[in-house]
């Protein structure tokens, strides 16, 4: 390994030390051994080409397939991401199946019909594929802006990574992509309708498209704002006017549909419903912000109402998406509405807690992030961010605002937490690294500009809303820009680039209105 690359790699993946105090690091890979009695775990880290044995702290937060678990539930062969301080694991996320790896996929024997029926959708037989969901929803497998993939190619140069394929014909909209079952899914417009699209993952060939709702029209850009959510063989799409559809990913045919604004007494918000729905167990969670339901849980298979949560003052929806967290045995859904951040009991819909320090009266956009037993959230419009500590007892949860900072005025580009550090763009266009526990600014830089952010394999991909993509080391010690490139001029729309970058199947996906561009990150 060249000396410079080796230094960068060690600075990203190993334990950081400053003034003799250990900093956080992260290790991802296959579990080779687990000893629940000694509280040790051995993980093979592909990019190190070696195994790392770590001690598991007694207070560690453990999730298995996004649900709470224990050390006794973990087996060798599972995939793990361990957040550490020194050699001690402070957070452990486990997946029971292997992270999907790219495999050659033959093209379909015949091209699918490019002009499907506007009412029923058109089916096509997809090529052979891995059925694992590589990026099943907005912000990835754990809904935190992080890709689990490692060992990727980061030697981009000024031209960026190698282009694999592109696909136009997706219409208008700010949807990103979801990836599962050898397919890429996104939302856009087709004629006078918002539509869901399925493409072949290996070459971008269209598989099916299904119109599901009326087009939201706005001067900032028309069409859907949310990203589809994949659960098993079903896709869930929420459009800009509140049209919600459940669709078979194999056939492209609708299973059930409804309009969450009409059904729950909501009126549309200024720039359109932008939520990407959350699937948790048998529940579909969404936030209509209506007089008959602020947040609701639906049966994901039928669309029937399971519970309705109504908040005082009937606040309208915000532009963010819900996350599921568990604090001391109390599972809850956290999201922003127009005037507050809220936590809702997963089983009953009861409002557990709220915080108002980091919301504004215009647009609350970025999805909250869990950090240990706390939640960090932030908004723009000169507001900033807050860390909220949660404590649960007797099936209830209380919230305490630990601090508020104006150094993270994140508008709509999202944030990521890597170890003990949070990275995100703060208005008017500063990439900032914060110590999550204290809010202390570690560094900041104007170089990438204002944009959206995704983390993968020790790196931050920052997509400037005007177009350029910047590769930055996820290093809390200093700002390190490793590469920057722009997409080809002929594929750039005249709209702001608000769709989040996605890293999955060893590829980088960049949606820009009508066109999806895909780049190769294979080593």
């Amino acid at each position: 390994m060249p000396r410079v690359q080796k230094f960068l790699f060690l600075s990203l993946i190993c334990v950081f030390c400053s003034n003799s105090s250990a900093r956080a690091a992260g290790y991802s890979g296959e579990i080779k051994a687990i000893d629940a009695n000694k509280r040790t775990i051995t993980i093979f880290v592909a990019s190190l080409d070696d195994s790392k044995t770590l001690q598991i702290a007694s207070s560690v937060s453990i999730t298995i397939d996004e649900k709470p678990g224990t050390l006794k539930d973990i087996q060798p062969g599972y995939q793990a991401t361990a957040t550490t301080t020194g050699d001690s694991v402070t957070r452990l996320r486990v997946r029971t199946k292997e992270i999907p790896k790219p495999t050659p996929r033959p093209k379909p024997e015949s091209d699918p019909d490019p002009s499907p029926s506007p009412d029923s959708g058109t089916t096509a037989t997809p090529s052979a594929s891995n059925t694992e969901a590589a990026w099943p929803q907005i912000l990835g497998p754990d809904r935190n802006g992080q890709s689990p993939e490692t060992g990727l190619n980061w030697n981009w140069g000024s031209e960026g990574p190698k282009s694999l394929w592109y696909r136009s014909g997706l219409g208008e909209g700010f949807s990103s992509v979801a990836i599962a079952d050898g397919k890429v899914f996104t939302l856009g417009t087709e004629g006078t309708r918002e539509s869901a699209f399925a493409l072949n993952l290996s070459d971008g060939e269209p598989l099916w498209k299904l119109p599901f709702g009326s087009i939201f029209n706005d001067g900032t850009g028309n069409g859907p704002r949310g990203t589809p959510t994949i659960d098993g063989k079903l896709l869930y799409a929420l459009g800009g006017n509140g049209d919600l559809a459940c669709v078979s990913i194999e056939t492209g045919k609708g299973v059930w549909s409804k309009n969450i604004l009409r059904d729950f007494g909501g009126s549309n918000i200024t720039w359109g419903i932008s939520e990407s729905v959350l699937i948790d167990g048998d529940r579909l969670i969404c936030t209509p912000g209506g007089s008959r339901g602020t947040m609701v849980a639906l049966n994901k298979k039928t669309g029937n109402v399971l519970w309705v949560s109504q908040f005082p003052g009937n606040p309208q929806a915000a532009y963010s998406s819900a996350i599921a967290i568990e604090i001391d045995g109390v599972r809850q859904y956290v999201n922003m509405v127009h005037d507050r951040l809220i936590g809702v009991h997963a089983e009953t819909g009861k409002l557990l807690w709220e915080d108002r320090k980091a919301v504004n009266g215009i647009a609350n956009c970025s999805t909250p992030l869990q950090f240990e037993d706390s939640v960090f959230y932030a908004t723009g419009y000169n507001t900033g961010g807050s860390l909220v500590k949660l404590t649960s007892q007797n099936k209830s949860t209380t919230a305490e605002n630990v601090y508020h900072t104006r150094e993270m005025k994140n508008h709509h580009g999202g944030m990521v937490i890597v170890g003990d550090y949070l990275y995100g763009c703060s208005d008017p266009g500063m990439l900032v690294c914060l110590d999550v526990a204290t809010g202390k600014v570690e560094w900041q830089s104007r170089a990438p500009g204002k944009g959206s952010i995704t983390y993968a394999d020790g790196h931050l991909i920052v997509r400037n809303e005007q177009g350029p993509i910047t590769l930055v080391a996820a290093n809390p010690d200093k700002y390190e820009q490793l590469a920057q490139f722009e997409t080809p001029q002929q594929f750039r729309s005249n709209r702001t680039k608000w769709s989040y970058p996605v890293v999955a199947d060893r590829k980088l996906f960049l949606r820009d209105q009508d066109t999806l561009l895909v780049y190769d990150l294979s080593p």
Side-chain angles (χ1 to χ4, degrees):
M1 181 183 294
R3 183 178 179 184
V4 172
Q5 288 182 329
K6 184 175 182 180
F7 169 77
L8 290 175
F9 170 75
L10 291 173
S11 69
L12 295 172
I13 204 70
C14 296
V15 178
F16 294 102
C17 295
S18 176
N19 297 327
S20 300
S21 61
R23 290 192 173 185
Y27 299 92
S28 295
E30 181 181 344
I31 298 173
K32 291 300 184 182
I34 180 80
D35 190 325
N37 294 323
K38 294 183 178 179
R39 300 189 67 84
T40 59
I41 187 170
T42 301
I43 301 174
F44 179 77
V45 183
S47 51
L48 282 174
D49 195 26
D50 198 4
S51 294
K52 183 75 175 176
T53 299
L54 303 164
Q55 191 71 38
I56 302 172
S58 58
S59 59
V60 70
S61 169
I62 299 175
T63 59
I64 301 176
D65 292 333
E66 302 181 50
K67 297 182 187 270
T70 68
L71 290 179
K72 293 182 180 179
D73 301 322
I74 301 173
Q75 298 179 22
Y78 290 175
Q79 296 289 321
T81 297
T83 301
T84 66
T85 300
D87 280 342
S88 181
V89 177
T90 56
R91 188 177 182 192
L92 184 63
R93 287 168 292 171
V94 176
R95 298 175 67 81
T96 59
K97 296 181 181 179
E98 289 189 3
I99 298 170
K101 304 227 175 15
T103 55
R105 300 180 178 90
K107 292 185 177 181
E109 294 182 1
S110 59
D111 291 334
D113 182 357
S115 304
S117 162
D119 298 319
S120 62
T122 294
T123 65
T125 302
S127 54
S129 64
N130 190 322
T131 58
E132 185 73 14
W135 194 273
Q137 59 186 335
I138 188 73
L139 302 178
D142 296 321
R143 200 169 267 222
N144 60 4
Q146 298 194 33
S147 170
E149 297 199 2
T150 58
L152 303 176
N153 175 26
W154 301 110
N155 296 318
W156 290 3
S158 60
E159 299 300 317
K162 176 185 175 183
S163 175
L164 283 178
W165 55 262
Y166 73 92
R167 177 60 54 187
S168 296
L170 302 175
E172 296 180 281
F174 297 99
S175 179
S176 187
V177 299
I179 299 163
D181 197 39
K183 306 178 185 72
V184 181
F185 304 95
T186 192
L187 308 180
T189 59
E190 170 77 5
T192 61
R193 306 283 284 172
E194 293 189 345
S195 301
F197 296 83
L199 309 174
N200 191 305
L201 175 59
S202 62
D203 55 18
E205 285 299 305
L207 297 173
W208 54 257
K209 55 185 171 182
L210 176 71
F212 69 90
S214 60
I215 293 179
F216 177 80
N217 294 292
D218 181 74
T220 60
N222 304 328
R225 278 85 169 101
T227 294
T229 300
I230 309 299
D231 181 70
K233 296 297 182 180
L234 297 176
L235 173 149
Y236 299 87
L238 180 59
N241 284 314
D243 296 297
L244 174 62
C246 173
V247 184
S248 165
I249 68 171
E250 294 182 318
T251 67
K253 293 185 180 297
V255 177
W256 58 262
S257 64
K258 64 198 317 156
N259 185 285
I260 64 170
L261 296 178
R262 182 178 60 244
D263 290 359
F264 298 102
S267 58
N268 209 344
I269 49 183
T270 303
W271 294 288
I273 292 294
S274 303
E275 184 176 19
S276 301
V277 300
L278 172 69
I279 301 297
D280 185 44
D282 290 331
R283 304 183 196 97
L284 180 153
I285 306 301
C286 60
T287 316
S291 60
R292 297 190 299 275
T294 308
M295 179 183 281
V296 300
L298 308 178
N299 183 303
K300 70 179 183 182
K301 295 180 180 179
T302 65
N304 294 336
V305 176
L306 297 177
W307 51 251
V308 172
S309 188
Q310 194 66 55
F311 304 160
N314 297 328
Q316 281 190 292
Y319 300 86
S320 62
S321 299
I323 60 172
I325 67 173
E326 189 148 334
I327 302 295
D328 299 327
V330 178
R331 191 160 185 81
Q332 51 200 275
Y333 305 124
V334 178
N335 200 5
M336 284 189 283
V337 290
H338 180 70
D339 61 357
R340 70 198 84 166
L341 177 75
I342 50 90
V344 174
H345 197 288
E347 295 289 339
T348 65
K350 175 186 175 183
L351 177 61
L352 295 172
W353 58 270
E354 60 182 49
D355 188 85
R356 298 175 185 251
K357 280 279 185 72
V359 295
N360 61 73
I362 302 173
N364 305 310
C365 304
S366 292
T367 295
L369 293 170
Q370 183 179 9
F371 176 70
E372 298 176 351
D373 60 355
S374 302
V375 171
F376 186 92
Y377 74 113
T379 68
Y381 301 96
N382 208 31
T383 302
S386 283
L387 183 71
V388 182
K389 180 177 173 56
L390 305 175
T391 305
S392 295
Q393 189 174 12
N394 298 326
K395 299 184 179 180
S396 292
T397 302
T398 57
E400 174 192 1
N401 194 292
V402 178
Y403 67 79
H404 181 77
T405 174
R406 291 168 60 83
E407 301 297 332
M408 183 49 67
K409 298 186 287 287
N410 188 265
H411 187 193
H412 48 60
M415 303 159 288
V416 295
I417 295 176
V418 183
D420 291 334
Y421 300 91
L422 180 141
Y423 303 86
C425 293
S426 179
D427 282 348
M430 192 82 72
L431 181 64
V432 178
C433 172
L434 291 180
D435 183 311
V436 189
T438 65
K440 176 180 176 289
V441 174
E442 299 295 328
W443 54 254
Q444 52 189 346
S445 174
R446 293 187 181 276
K450 178 181 178 179
S452 52
I453 189 168
T454 297
Y455 169 86
D457 192 22
H459 296 75
L460 307 171
I461 300 171
V462 184
R463 186 184 194 185
N464 187 297
E465 63 179 2
Q466 300 306 317
I469 296 93
T470 304
L471 182 65
V472 179
N475 183 352
D477 288 333
K478 62 181 178 178
Y479 175 78
E480 295 182 81
Q481 182 171 310
L482 306 178
Q484 188 176 79
F485 76 100
E486 292 208 49
T487 57
Q489 180 67 46
Q490 65 266 34
F491 298 130
R492 294 181 217 160
S493 74
N494 60 1
R495 296 292 186 189
T496 45
K497 286 41 174 181
W498 287 339
S499 302
Y500 285 35
V502 166
V503 175
D505 198 56
R506 301 200 174 199
K507 300 176 179 67
L508 170 64
F509 299 80
L510 299 172
R511 170 80 185 274
D512 186 359
Q513 296 292 317
D514 187 63
T515 302
L516 175 66
L517 298 124
V518 181
Y519 295 86
D520 187 10
L521 297 184
S522 297

